[in-house]
Amino acid sequence: MYVSGLPILLTLGGKCLLNWVAVFLQKRQICRSFLGVFSVSLAVVDMALTFSFTKVYFHGDELVIVFGHLMTKYDVCLLVQLAGHISRVLQWPVVLMASVDHLCSGTRRLEAISSRPAWVIHSSATVLLWLLTALYLLLQYDFVPDISKRDVLRCRVFHSLQVLHITLLLLLVLACTALFSLIRPFPKSQITNQRQTPCRRSFVQQTLQDFHHTWTPFLVFLAGLPFLPVGIPSYLDLNVVWLHFLNSLLVAIVLCAVCPFSQVLQDLPELS
């Protein structure tokens, strides 16, 4: 589908604004997880791309230097194409690294490297991920602007359902984890304490209820995504709100997995 430059500019600007609002609302949790640090880096990258798109869009009749390259209005779609590729490439690696981060935090495996601040590890992982993404894009993609023959300021945008696929997979994992945590047997040292059975069930139910109440509108939106006549452009897929949802979903999975060992819950991020 071909979209003119102005709607693209408005959506990119709205995405940047939403990114920074979400970062500000969760500023106390930013350094506690990989997703928090990555959210800040994503907001910065999106802002740089939006600024570059705006500069080329309004001054395309002249030669504009963007990231060290001369660009004109004929190249404005390259930035949209780049943003879409970044979103598609990063989705699954971000999920994988965030899952490992939450799993390590939940099982206290980071105690061996507790001498280093957590934000140093998360920042290093974020920088490494961006470098690998940049290298992959440079080696795999030939960035040729895909524009409309009738109007050079109309760019072809692609749609992706990666967010929906990831959500369905993780919701299935959450359901299986919650079910397993309810039916698994207690260790022999805890069999004598019969009151832990209802406590376990109550904790799992409370975790699922908190997640459901926090993210019901977003889940409804994702459920209706395949039925929309116009899908979500790929360059909007990866955003800070989606990362906050992903963080809550992974936290819920870890909480259900480690229940009822409540001593490991203190170091986990919140569900919102």
Side-chain angles (χ1 to χ4, degrees), residues 33-46:
S33 68
F34 162 75
L35 282 178
V37 176
F38 184 80
S39 295
V40 177
S41 69
L42 178 62
V44 173
V45 171
D46 280 342

Side-chain angles (χ1 to χ4, degrees), residues 80-97:
V80 180
Q81 182 182 0
L82 177 63
H85 283 310
I86 289 175
S87 293
R88 287 197 294 268
V89 170
L90 281 177
Q91 287 287 357
W92 286 104
V94 166
V95 173
L96 178 61
M97 295 186 70

Side-chain angles (χ1 to χ4, degrees), residues 249-271:
L249 187 51
L250 291 175
V251 168
I253 292 174
V254 173
L255 288 178
C256 291
V258 302
C259 176
F261 304 104
S262 58
Q263 66 270 20
V264 304
L265 304 180
Q266 300 174 357
D267 298 329
L268 290 175
E270 298 177 357
L271 284 175

Side-chain angles (χ1 to χ4, degrees), residues 33-69:
S33 68
F34 162 75
L35 282 178
V37 176
F38 184 80
S39 295
V40 177
S41 69
L42 178 62
V44 173
V45 171
D46 280 342
M47 185 172 63
L49 286 173
T50 302
F51 175 79
S52 302
F53 185 92
T54 304
K55 187 176 181 180
V56 176
Y57 180 79
F58 286 107
H59 303 281
D61 294 331
E62 308 169 1
L63 291 178
V64 179
I65 299 178
V66 177
F67 301 129
H69 298 279

Side-chain angles (χ1 to χ4, degrees), residues 224-240:
L225 188 60
F227 304 101
L228 293 178
V230 179
I232 302 299
S234 59
Y235 62 87
L236 297 179
D237 273 353
L238 194 63
N239 56 78
V240 177

Side-chain angles (χ1 to χ4, degrees), residues 6-213:
L6 184 58
I8 294 176
L9 179 60
L10 293 176
T11 53
L12 284 174
K15 179 186 178 183
C16 285
L17 178 61
L18 191 63
N19 283 346
W20 285 111
V21 169
V23 168
F24 177 78
L25 293 177
Q26 294 291 323
K27 59 182 179 180
R28 295 183 179 180
Q29 304 291 333
I30 289 298
C31 295
R32 296 185 60 185
S33 68
F34 162 75
L35 282 178
V37 176
F38 184 80
S39 295
V40 177
S41 69
L42 178 62
V44 173
V45 171
D46 280 342
M47 185 172 63
L49 286 173
T50 302
F51 175 79
S52 302
F53 185 92
T54 304
K55 187 176 181 180
V56 176
Y57 180 79
F58 286 107
H59 303 281
D61 294 331
E62 308 169 1
L63 291 178
V64 179
I65 299 178
V66 177
F67 301 129
H69 298 279
L70 292 176
M71 302 187 69
T72 66
K73 62 182 180 181
Y74 298 98
D75 301 316
V76 68
C77 296
L78 281 174
L79 297 173
V80 180
Q81 182 182 0
L82 177 63
H85 283 310
I86 289 175
S87 293
R88 287 197 294 268
V89 170
L90 281 177
Q91 287 287 357
W92 286 104
V94 166
V95 173
L96 178 61
M97 295 186 70
S99 301
V100 172
D101 176 47
H102 282 292
L103 181 62
C104 292
S105 298
T107 55
R108 290 183 176 274
R109 293 178 183 177
L110 290 178
E111 285 184 345
I113 51 177
S114 58
S115 58
R116 296 183 179 181
W119 69 268
V120 174
I121 301 172
H122 298 147
S123 299
S124 301
T126 299
V127 172
L128 178 62
L129 185 57
W130 280 112
L131 290 177
L132 292 177
T133 300
L135 180 62
Y136 178 80
L137 291 174
L138 290 174
L139 295 178
Q140 294 295 323
Y141 291 99
D142 183 16
F143 293 103
V144 178
D146 194 346
I147 60 179
S148 173
K149 296 180 180 179
R150 298 180 180 179
D151 186 355
V152 296
L153 292 182
R154 288 178 63 87
C155 307
R156 187 178 183 182
V157 297
F158 297 91
H159 304 105
S160 173
L161 292 177
Q162 275 189 323
V163 170
L164 182 61
H165 296 160
I166 293 172
T167 301
L168 290 176
L169 175 62
L170 292 181
L171 286 176
L172 180 61
V173 172
L174 175 60
C176 295
T177 303
L179 180 62
F180 176 76
S181 66
L182 292 176
I183 65 176
R184 67 179 178 180
F186 283 104
K188 292 182 179 180
S189 59
Q190 298 181 1
I191 291 181
T192 57
N193 192 349
Q194 300 296 330
R195 292 186 301 174
Q196 290 192 8
T197 301
C199 290
R200 171 189 289 182
R201 183 180 299 108
S202 176
F203 180 81
V204 172
Q205 291 176 348
Q206 184 63 41
T207 299
L208 298 178
Q209 184 179 1
D210 289 344
F211 174 79
H212 178 266
H213 286 171

